[in-house]
Amino acid sequence: MTMPAASEPTEPTAPARAPDPFDVDAVIVGAGFAGLAVAAELHRAQVSFVLLDARDRIGGKAEARLDGRGRMVDTGAQFANDDMTEVLALAAAAGAERVEAVPAGQPTIVPLGIEGNPWADATALLATLGPEHLHDRRTVTQWLGGIDAPPVLRDAVRSAVNGGTCLDSHRIPVSYLAQLNERTPREHDEMQLWFAQTMHSLAQHLAAPFPERIRLGCPARAVHLHDESVDVVSVDQVWHARHVVVATPPSAYASIRFTPDLPEDIAAAAQAFQPGTVFKYLIGYEQAFWLGDDHHGAGRFLTPPGLYIGDVSGAGHATLVAFVGGTTATEWARHSEADRHAAILHHASVAFGDRALQPLSLLERLWAPDEWGGGGYSNVLAAHAPGACDTLAIGLPLLSFASTELAPLFPGYVEGALRAGRAAAAHLLRNLERW
């Protein structure tokens, strides 16, 4: 299916607000899906804004690159499901073609020969973390120590948590996983579908109406909060505005100097979040030889922990996607690219046979912590701080925070970023009504 051409930029029919002395009504810091959602709402409301991003592209942790076969593929965020109504509505508006990613069959459990499905058992065990665990300070490892569970189940839990959080399960509090369970509906598989035109194309669709409002390669270095205005300082310009939205992961707040200092509760909430490390691989083959024999192409690894392989084949393109997260990813990052490629192909061959050693293409993307909030799928709470998300979502009178981590539903996903961005935009618009 051919993606429709991006719409021509449209200008508000009425004059923008922000008369002197204000340069704009709002400055948005961060052009990931959360920041883009804020910008889209402000554009619709005919509110003037500027959208800054330190990177040379929009999309945050969604990006697309050419693979070895000349296709644009998602090297960052990729998956959605039928519970994610905001993503699906955006995809429909963009004319994106959905591709179902969960064929019928059973996963391959590695090491081979293990009886039963310890990964499914681990998933079921983790799903029992509910409201009564929201204030449980124990780490996942400490919690497992109090459960009569066989070693193979402990290995599966460790692998699932390492892969899902991109950090070591020894550092993840039970309270955080309970909060994720509370905020993440599980009616459909989290990797149910993806989009032929890439998830990143949806970010481009959001940004298409206001390209003149976007400044790339333009990190915000300082935010000065006054009684009734804000100044946002970038590398070469200062914007005087009525409101600022910081739409970056919480770990990136440290790259911005706030004056006055952020209140203690907000600063502590932000510091509780940390980015993890994950590799994403897209491996192309001539045929999807991993399908059949009642298997659907998913490789679920108990060891090394945090490794997962799945099928993302499209029409005429047999492709595996692999993720390596947490402590395993941190270790792999110390080795050469050639060694990492050999390692991922080795593990694919363990799950699916020697044909996995002969790919037509192999694309690697390392998401490691950086000052812009990179790393992992999202920041995670690596400390017991059950109120941190809500504290940041509330923000301050002239300062809003927006990122997937703060979403009331689907934190860590593009869906959560869209919801958090729209909530921050509503907060901002209510604030502007007082002027």
Side-chain angles (χ1 to χ4, degrees), residues 359-371:
L360 299 178
S361 62
L362 195 162
L363 181 60
E364 174 188 90
R365 176 63 159 100
L366 167 61
W367 293 89
D370 64 26
E371 66 176 318

Side-chain angles (χ1 to χ4, degrees), residues 39-61:
E41 294 297 310
L42 299 192
H43 182 74
R44 187 176 297 112
Q46 300 182 5
V47 170
S48 66
F49 65 90
V50 63
L51 175 58
L52 313 179
D53 201 282
R55 304 186 192 279
D56 61 0
R57 58 169 179 80
I58 63 167
K61 292 182 183 177

Side-chain angles (χ1 to χ4, degrees), residues 15-47:
R17 295 178 49 129
D20 290 338
F22 294 99
D23 300 313
V24 288
D25 286 313
V27 178
I28 307 166
V29 179
F33 271 99
L36 290 168
V38 175
E41 294 297 310
L42 299 192
H43 182 74
R44 187 176 297 112
Q46 300 182 5
V47 170

Side-chain angles (χ1 to χ4, degrees), residues 34 377-379 402-417 420:
Y377 309 120
S378 66
N379 286 183
S403 65
T404 186
E405 292 85 354
L406 314 183
L409 288 174
F410 295 104
Y413 297 89
V414 171
E415 177 77 10

Side-chain angles (χ1 to χ4, degrees), residues 303-343:
T303 181
L307 172 59
Y308 170 85
I309 300 178
D311 176 68
V312 286
S313 300
H317 296 281
T319 307
L320 289 174
V321 63
F323 299 96
V324 182
T327 51
T328 302
T330 302
E331 174 60 29
W332 282 29
R334 300 189 181 104
H335 295 272
S336 70
E337 182 178 75
D339 286 345
R340 293 194 300 268
H341 288 188

Side-chain angles (χ1 to χ4, degrees), residues 23-305:
D23 300 313
V24 288
D25 286 313
V27 178
I28 307 166
V29 179
F33 271 99
L36 290 168
V38 175
E41 294 297 310
L42 299 192
H43 182 74
R44 187 176 297 112
Q46 300 182 5
V47 170
S48 66
F49 65 90
V50 63
L51 175 58
L52 313 179
D53 201 282
R55 304 186 192 279
D56 61 0
R57 58 169 179 80
I58 63 167
K61 292 182 183 177
E63 68 169 21
R65 297 182 181 179
L66 286 171
D67 70 1
R69 294 177 288 179
R71 294 191 309 147
M72 290 299 294
V73 294
D74 282 307
T75 48
Q78 179 174 1
F79 296 97
N81 68 28
D82 279 330
D83 299 311
M84 300 179 181
T85 55
E86 297 293 335
V87 171
L88 296 183
L90 177 58
E97 176 188 0
R98 62 183 276 163
V99 180
E100 299 297 331
V102 186
Q106 299 297 318
T108 298
I109 305 297
V110 181
L112 301 177
I114 292 177
E115 293 185 3
N117 188 341
W119 189 281
D121 296 338
T123 300
L125 179 60
L126 290 168
T128 65
L129 296 174
E132 67 275 19
H133 297 95
L134 290 173
H135 297 280
D136 192 332
R137 293 177 173 273
R138 292 176 297 173
T139 67
V140 173
T141 303
Q142 291 168 336
W143 169 66
L144 279 175
I147 296 174
D148 183 15
V152 68
L153 178 57
R154 295 175 186 275
D155 288 344
V157 169
R158 180 190 180 201
S159 186
V161 174
N162 278 25
T165 66
C166 303
L167 286 172
D168 192 335
S169 60
H170 288 76
R171 301 177 58 195
I172 303 301
V174 167
S175 59
Y176 175 63
L177 297 186
Q179 186 176 95
L180 291 183
N181 285 345
E182 184 178 58
R183 299 188 178 201
T184 309
R186 301 182 183 277
E187 294 299 318
H188 298 86
D189 190 287
E190 66 174 345
M191 298 172 66
Q192 177 191 354
L193 61 94
W194 47 282
F195 302 105
Q197 292 79 11
T198 74
M199 182 70 81
H200 187 254
S201 72
L202 304 190
Q204 294 171 319
H205 176 82
L206 265 181
F210 42 83
E212 74 288 349
R213 303 291 180 90
I214 301 173
R215 306 285 188 276
L216 298 178
C218 189
R221 288 306 190 187
V223 171
H224 304 299
L225 298 169
H226 310 296
D227 289 340
E228 296 185 348
S229 65
V230 296
D231 289 311
V232 179
V233 182
S234 72
V235 289
D236 61 358
Q237 190 170 348
V238 178
W239 282 273
H240 189 59
R242 293 185 170 93
H243 200 102
V244 58
V245 180
V246 177
T248 69
S251 66
Y253 301 173
S255 67
I256 302 172
R257 180 187 175 190
F258 291 92
T259 55
D261 292 340
L262 293 175
E264 289 185 7
D265 60 336
I266 289 180
Q271 290 167 6
F273 285 92
Q274 292 191 19
T277 303
V278 64
F279 284 92
K280 181 176 183 179
Y281 294 92
L282 291 157
I283 314 169
Y285 294 92
E286 185 174 351
Q287 294 180 329
F289 52 82
W290 48 86
L291 301 178
D293 295 327
D294 196 33
H295 285 77
H296 57 39
R300 301 190 183 275
F301 288 73
L302 308 189
T303 181

